[in-house]
Amino acid sequence: MKTWTGILLMIILAVATLSVTSTAKTTNESQQQLNIDNSSSQTVAVEASHIDLKNDEVNSNRDKTPIKADDVSIAPENKNVRVYPMSVEGSGYIYNGLVVEVNGKKREFSDWRAEGGSYKPEVHELDLNEDGKKEIVVLYSEGHGTGIYLGQAHILDPISLEVMKMQSLDDIVKDHVESNVTVNSDYIEIGVTVNGVPAETTRVEKAAGDGVYHDKLQFGRVTYYSVEDGKLVVSTSGAYGEGLYAGDLTFVYADQNGEWQASELKYSMEVYEEEYYESFD
């Protein structure tokens, strides 16, 4: 009797062990399948992200216009001196970055953003300081609109193509120009002094309504750079109100102690009519 009871207990224990082993194996297989599914989902997500990045690159490239021969500007003094865009946006009127090429040597300036079309950059090879070594001068427009023309210029060393130091327009005005704008009941009086020499005072009829006027002339929103008689010439208009200009400060850049600074400064008083600042559109 005891023998049969022992045999029966051994059979029950064996069946219980097999059941636990089978359950553990099933659980482990399910966990492995779950891990595979999770891994597959992550792979799909990565692939989808990669596709999105590729699509972004394709869309970005669609916005860029191929550089054409018309985008290249050649120095009138030397056909081996050129400037052209690093890339062109839209219909060809925005240059993102410029490349300056001098006798086969190139340098990229990615932070120079210029207009194209009829406003495309100019480049010149000139001996600005008459030292027997010609500098590279790059001129371009950063933008224009009603009452705005943002001209820009850089002078480069012809060997290294490094940008040479130029006195900023703000510093030039601060060091050389004093002005005041006095608003009266029916007219505005504008006085300008350049290097201590006063220009003729100008009176401007006050416009109807409550206009906003500056207390002194503001420079920079209409600035032109040009090459005239072998010199880099600047003309910048003085604004006494928003879109209201009273005349031009002109000067040339000259080499002074290793820095290009303003010289030959003068101010001509001339009140511009509405057609003047609308012509920038």
Side-chain angles (χ1 to χ4, degrees):
M1 184 67 177
K2 290 181 180 179
T3 301
W4 285 107
T5 301
I7 293 171
L8 181 59
L9 287 173
M10 290 177 65
I11 291 171
I12 292 172
L13 288 171
V15 171
T17 301
L18 288 173
S19 176
V20 170
T21 302
S22 177
T23 301
K25 182 177 180 181
T26 301
T27 303
N28 187 48
E29 289 175 348
S30 298
Q31 184 62 45
Q32 289 179 358
Q33 183 63 44
L34 178 61
N35 290 338
I36 291 172
D37 291 343
N38 287 340
S39 175
S40 177
S41 298
Q42 291 170 0
T43 301
V44 170
V46 171
E47 289 177 351
S49 177
H50 182 67
I51 291 171
D52 288 341
L53 289 174
K54 285 293 185 183
N55 288 338
D56 289 343
E57 291 175 3
V58 170
N59 292 333
S60 177
N61 289 333
R62 285 175 182 168
D63 294 336
K64 295 180 179 179
T65 304
I67 296 171
K68 307 183 295 296
D70 288 344
D71 297 319
V72 180
S73 299
I74 301 174
E77 304 85 4
N78 183 351
K79 66 179 181 180
N80 294 318
V81 176
R82 310 190 302 167
V83 64
Y84 48 89
M86 292 175 61
S87 64
V88 178
E89 281 188 16
S91 56
Y93 294 105
I94 300 176
Y95 292 176
N96 283 320
L98 294 177
V99 180
V100 178
E101 181 179 335
V102 178
N103 299 322
K105 183 176 182 178
K106 302 176 183 179
R107 181 157 188 170
E108 295 181 346
F109 298 90
S110 59
D111 57 335
W112 294 1
R113 185 178 173 90
E115 290 189 283
S118 59
Y119 294 91
K120 77 176 187 178
E122 294 179 33
V123 62
H124 295 269
E125 184 185 52
L126 304 166
D127 186 0
L128 292 175
N129 54 2
E130 299 181 351
D131 64 350
K133 184 178 70 173
K134 295 181 179 180
E135 289 76 34
I136 306 302
V137 180
V138 180
L139 314 174
Y140 59 89
S141 167
E142 292 182 327
H144 72 283
T146 301
I148 297 174
Y149 187 90
L150 304 178
Q152 184 58 270
H154 298 285
I155 302 173
L156 281 63
D157 182 278
I159 306 301
S160 65
L161 298 186
E162 292 282 347
V163 177
M164 306 178 78
K165 189 175 182 180
M166 296 173 64
Q167 187 179 18
S168 70
L169 178 59
D170 287 344
D171 287 342
I172 291 169
V173 172
K174 180 181 178 181
D175 293 346
H176 299 278
V177 181
E178 294 181 2
S179 64
N180 57 78
V181 177
T182 304
V183 181
N184 296 288
S185 58
D186 55 353
Y187 68 91
I188 299 168
E189 190 172 77
I190 303 166
V192 180
T193 299
V194 177
N195 289 332
V197 180
E200 183 180 354
T201 300
T202 299
R203 285 190 176 187
V204 182
E205 184 178 349
K206 188 177 179 182
D210 297 325
V212 177
Y213 302 100
H214 308 309
D215 58 354
K216 61 182 180 179
L217 295 179
Q218 305 293 310
F219 296 89
R221 290 175 66 83
V222 177
T223 303
Y224 288 93
Y225 293 81
S226 60
V227 169
E228 300 175 18
D229 299 325
K231 297 179 179 181
L232 176 55
V233 181
V234 185
S235 175
T236 180
S237 299
Y240 62 92
E242 188 64 30
L244 302 173
Y245 298 94
D248 295 324
L249 173 69
T250 59
F251 58 90
V252 302
Y253 273 105
D255 186 7
Q256 300 179 24
N257 301 319
E259 179 182 353
W260 296 95
Q261 298 182 6
S263 66
E264 303 178 30
L265 291 94
K266 62 180 181 179
Y267 192 87
S268 59
M269 301 295 290
E270 181 179 359
V271 179
Y272 296 106
E273 300 297 333
E274 185 175 350
E275 290 80 4
Y276 170 75
Y277 51 86
E278 285 188 348
S279 66
F280 304 140
D281 287 340

